[in-house]
Amino acid sequence: MRRNGRKGFTVALIVALLLVVIPAWAVSSPVRTSDIQLSPSGTVELTVGEKVTIQATVIPKDSTQPIKWSSSDRKVATVADGVVTAKNKGTATVTASSGDRQASVEVKVTPKPVSTTGISLSPSGTVELTIGDSTTIKATLEPWNSTQPVKWSSSDKAVATVQKGVVNAIGEGTAVITAKSGSKKARVEVKVIPKTVKTTKLTLSPSKTFKLKVGDRKTVKVNVKPKDSTQPVKWSSSDKKVARVNSKGVVTAKGEGTAVITAKSGSKKASVKVKVTGQAKPKPTATPTPKPTATEPPVTDKVLVAYFSCTGTTEDVARKLANVTGADLYRIVPAEPYTAEDLDYGDRSNRATYEQDHPDTRPKIGGKSLSLKGYTTLYLGYPIWWGMEPRIMCTFVERYDFTGITVIPFCTSGSSDIGTSGSDLAKLAGTGKWLDGARHSGSISESALREWVESLKYRFVALRQICISPTEPIR
């Protein structure tokens, strides 16, 4: 009995000691997570290589269930203890789990921004399309991994439109297609021509043999089907010693005999014979118009002020000059207007700088066409860009014949003088009698312009008495 009592006492003592040594949490029940919240939430945007820490908050705070992290696409983004690392472009879902609860954040990864340093187009130069046709222009960026998108535009949507490099020919004419990425641009000229409509039939009137006497003329009319055929009619004679025919079907009898007159359009032909006999009666000689005598009044000068202006400064001076001289006014309009970005003096890659750095550049001229017929004096105005005339002025003077016209250049500029721009344009023109030009401020008054015009009068007298080379302006 005594032994059993001692044994029971020992067991009781051991249990008591264990209750003292074992902590209370070891015997308490686990606490489950009822909710989990993330910060930031929603969508997180990162660039490749960036990191962000996502904070996870569990409810209740004393939850005993651990937080586990995962990514739906480890190629796009990885996660460890809430730290997300962007790996590659794409979208991944990062999830935090605790027990049976979870919360997610969408991670959107974009490439690091890379600026475009150059852009080239293929095909380049000039592309020719017929109405209704389309072509794709490929833009190549430098560097190849540039993240700046390419934006496309057309100078004339009535001629050609462009979307994502696909050019559609709309109407006859010329349009400039521009691709822009960041601050860089490249251009392609698109020339749209009408669709080729083939001739299906040709008939002539007269259709049978006709007779002419040597020296006589007769027009052979041609009827083309369909009427909208785009294939030209070409004329020929089987014997030019007997009869000749011009491009309008006018037959001239040259000598006795028979010749075959043929009209051809595309693959279609039609012919008629002409039989030429003896000499026709001589036509009466027209009475010559008497030349004007020296006592007749001189012809009045007809004056034109032609100008190019982007910001309105040169235009204002040109309008004042037209008021002073009673001149007609003509504005030189670029086919592709210049934007403020194109004229940014501080950007060496802009359009105006590129044109000035490339002397052979010839910007297209749009707007109304100009006829110089009847004009005796031309005031030619323009701004000074980087110490020179804008290249569109080169386009203008190379386009027209200034024979018999006195040309007086004038320019506007904040600081530069007219320099050699006037003589440069005179050399390019090759025709006309050119005076030295002058620089005017944008605020010049009409009275000051009138004094300048008056000072030119003695030079006009000199020009009427001597022949001046376009490369040597009178001073």
Side-chain angles (χ1 to χ4, degrees), residues 332-392:
I332 301 168
V333 179
E336 182 185 359
Y338 289 86
T339 64
E341 188 179 51
D342 292 335
L343 303 173
D344 183 1
Y345 192 86
D347 181 6
R348 293 298 300 174
S349 65
N350 68 27
R351 174 186 171 190
T353 302
Y354 175 88
E355 291 175 354
Q356 296 304 92
D357 287 345
H358 294 76
D360 294 334
T361 303
R362 294 295 183 268
K364 297 285 185 181
I365 295 176
K368 296 180 180 179
S369 59
L370 172 66
S371 171
L372 292 176
K373 186 177 181 180
Y375 287 107
T376 56
T377 303
L378 169 63
Y379 291 91
L380 191 60
Y382 47 89
I384 289 292
W385 287 356
W386 293 267
M388 298 175 286
E389 70 282 357
R391 298 301 179 200
I392 195 171

Side-chain angles (χ1 to χ4, degrees), residues 308-330:
F308 167 66
S309 179
C310 282
T311 63
T313 303
T314 307
E315 180 177 25
D316 186 53
V317 175
R319 291 187 179 279
K320 292 176 182 177
L321 184 58
N323 290 339
V324 167
T325 59
D328 295 332
L329 202 60
Y330 175 78

Side-chain angles (χ1 to χ4, degrees), residues 213-331:
K213 289 186 177 182
V214 174
D216 282 349
R217 293 184 178 183
K218 184 177 182 65
T219 299
V220 178
K221 296 181 179 179
V222 62
N223 181 32
V224 180
K225 290 186 179 180
K227 291 184 178 180
D228 60 345
S229 170
T230 58
Q231 294 183 303
V233 176
K234 297 180 180 180
W235 295 88
S236 63
S237 170
S238 63
D239 191 342
K240 293 181 180 180
K241 292 181 179 180
V242 174
R244 292 178 179 269
V245 61
N246 67 11
S247 60
K248 295 182 180 179
V250 178
V251 178
T252 302
K254 305 299 282 184
E256 294 187 17
T258 301
V260 178
I261 303 299
T262 301
K264 182 180 179 182
S265 178
S267 62
K268 303 301 177 181
K269 294 180 180 180
S271 300
V272 63
K273 288 183 179 180
V274 56
K275 188 175 182 180
V276 180
T277 59
Q279 190 76 30
K281 293 180 180 179
K283 294 181 180 179
T285 304
T287 304
T289 304
K291 295 181 179 180
T293 64
T295 58
E296 292 178 358
V299 177
T300 305
D301 283 346
K302 187 178 179 183
V303 184
L304 173 68
V305 175
Y307 69 93
F308 167 66
S309 179
C310 282
T311 63
T313 303
T314 307
E315 180 177 25
D316 186 53
V317 175
R319 291 187 179 279
K320 292 176 182 177
L321 184 58
N323 290 339
V324 167
T325 59
D328 295 332
L329 202 60
Y330 175 78
R331 181 173 184 174

Side-chain angles (χ1 to χ4, degrees), residues 37-45 52 54-55 69-72 77 84 91-96 102-108:
Q37 298 175 350
L38 301 182
S39 177
S41 59
T43 300
V44 176
E45 293 188 0
V52 67
I54 299 177
Q55 301 290 339
W69 294 89
S70 64
S71 169
S72 65
V84 178
T91 302
T93 301
V94 171
T95 303
Q102 63 180 28
S104 299
V105 170
E106 183 182 71
V107 177
K108 186 176 182 182

Side-chain angles (χ1 to χ4, degrees), residues 6 10 13 20 25 76 86 105 113 159 226 244 280 336 368 384 388 411 413-414:
R6 286 180 180 177
T10 302
L13 180 62
V20 172
W25 60 264
V76 175
V105 170
V159 174
R244 292 178 179 269
E336 182 185 359
K368 296 180 180 179
I384 289 292
M388 298 175 286
C411 74
S413 171

Side-chain angles (χ1 to χ4, degrees), residues 38 78 93 99 131 144 151 202 204 209 240 242 336 375 465:
L38 301 182
T78 60
T93 301
I131 294 173
W144 64 270
K151 297 180 180 180
L202 276 183
L204 299 181
T209 302
K240 293 181 180 180
V242 174
E336 182 185 359
Y375 287 107
Q465 296 174 350

